[in-house]
Structures are given as C-alpha cells and as structure tokens.
Amino acid sequence: QAELVESGGGLVQPGGSLRLSCVASGFSLGHYAIAWFRQAPGKEREGVVCLDASGSTTWYADTVKGRFTIARDTAKNTVYLQMNSLTPEDTAVYYCNAKRSWPVIIYWGQGTQVTVSS
C-alpha cells in the first residue's frame, strides 16, 4: 500500500521554525518529483515548493523563497520541509505530494496543520 504521511506541524510563534516530514511507504521517492502544497482557510491550495525527480531543479513560491527549504533523504524515503522565519500568513494545512510522470501516478499525504500565532 503506497502512501505519504506528513508530520511535524503544530503551533509556533511568528519568527519561529518548524520542520515538516513526509514519509513515503510502498514506493520509492527516488522515482518521483516531490512537492509541498498548502491550503489556508478560505483560500485555494497553492504550491509551496517542488523538486524534480532528479533532484536537480527546485522551485519555490515567491512567498516562501529564502525562508523554506525542501530536502529529500533517499535512505529514509522521506521528504522534509524546513520552514524558518514563519509568519501568520504561513498558517495552513501543508500537504506532501509525489508525482511520477511516466506512467502518471500521484500521491497525496493527509496534511499537517501549521499555525503561526503569537
């Protein structure tokens, strides 16, 4: 059974940091592009960061560029999202995503809540 499971969310003060984890089981992340999305209340889901399958190209949303960093640990089959200098605008449910292009296979995690508030 292939799945992604996120963890690491929680409540943090503005300016603080969190590290989200996404553990893949049933498949190898090495064959997939990976990404983090987020959805704030009343807003559409938006892409936060994407990393291609080769790990050679990374895209960050302008809103998080310079503050968030994606990393892949192939040995642990895990994706991380390091989030620094958090602001209340970062409050959202964060979702891990893995996509294989050929054939097309897409997995989503269940989401983990990040709340930034003083």
Side-chain angles (χ1 to χ4, degrees):
Q1 184 81 0
E3 63 177 4
L4 297 171
V5 179
E6 302 104 327
S7 63
L11 176 64
V12 63
Q13 295 185 23
S17 298
L18 284 174
R19 190 191 193 196
L20 306 183
S21 298
C22 176
V23 180
S25 60
F27 69 101
S28 174
L29 286 174
H31 297 90
Y32 290 75
I34 57 174
W36 287 91
F37 291 77
R38 68 184 182 185
Q39 187 165 23
K43 294 187 176 182
E44 296 181 348
R45 184 174 297 186
E46 64 174 341
V48 177
V49 57
C50 300
L51 178 65
D52 68 5
S54 69
S56 62
T57 303
T58 308
W59 172 88
Y60 291 92
D62 289 340
T63 51
V64 307
K65 195 174 300 181
R67 300 187 297 119
F68 290 12
T69 304
I70 190 171
R72 175 189 293 174
D73 187 332
T74 56
K76 296 181 178 180
N77 211 27
T78 300
V79 179
Y80 303 98
L81 181 65
Q82 179 66 48
M83 306 185 295
N84 299 325
S85 302
L86 288 163
T87 74
E89 288 70 40
D90 295 315
T91 295
V93 177
Y94 285 72
Y95 299 90
C96 181
N97 169 273
K99 180 179 179 180
R100 185 175 185 175
S101 296
W102 219 313
V104 175
I105 302 174
I106 302 175
Y107 298 111
W108 288 93
Q110 83 288 352
T112 185
Q113 176 72 49
V114 173
T115 302
V116 185
S117 176
S118 60

